[in-house]
Amino acid sequence: ARAICASCPQLEELHLCANGWSTLQLDGGEELAPHTGVRVLNLDDNALSDWNDVAVQAHAAFPHLVRLSANGNQFASVAPFQQGCLASLESLLVGRNALADWACLDALDTYPKLEEARLSDNPWGGAPATVARSAAVAR
């Protein structure tokens, strides 16, 4: 993916949806320079399950990322902010995953620039959608 970006220096959005990826390896095993122009990364409908892997890989490849869409994957949790990693993230979309632990909402609060989080269609400990929505808003 980063090789594509290298040939498209003006690229601001990269959509890598429905590739069946269970891990994120954006550099293809090669050491490539970060692409500072990409602001939006869409990873919807893959099979990603390791939030830390995605956060580290996405930040290494695209250090100025402001929007990450990862709907329809297999994340069971979202880890708290790690210094420098996804520091510019303003919008996170993680609907249709396996988020069930309310600690995920607390973790989202640690991202310094996060303004938007879309969390629909997650199990949230089996709570009905209306209860889960009210609890998310209350937090």
Side-chain angles (χ1 to χ4, degrees), residues 78-89:
V78 173
F81 173 74
Q82 296 176 23
Q83 190 62 36
C85 193
L86 299 178
S88 300
L89 193 66

Side-chain angles (χ1 to χ4, degrees), residues 25-91:
Q25 190 168 1
L26 294 171
D27 58 11
E30 303 172 24
E31 188 65 35
L32 299 173
H35 190 293
T36 58
V38 171
R39 303 282 192 259
V40 175
L41 180 60
N42 188 333
L43 300 170
D44 289 356
D45 301 315
N46 279 289
L48 302 168
S49 60
D50 185 341
W51 171 257
N52 288 328
D53 175 55
V54 170
V56 169
Q57 293 282 331
H59 177 74
F62 313 114
H64 300 295
L65 199 63
V66 295
R67 183 178 180 95
L68 176 58
S69 182
N71 295 305
N73 280 283
Q74 299 170 3
F75 295 117
S77 66
V78 173
F81 173 74
Q82 296 176 23
Q83 190 62 36
C85 193
L86 299 178
S88 300
L89 193 66
E90 296 174 3
S91 176

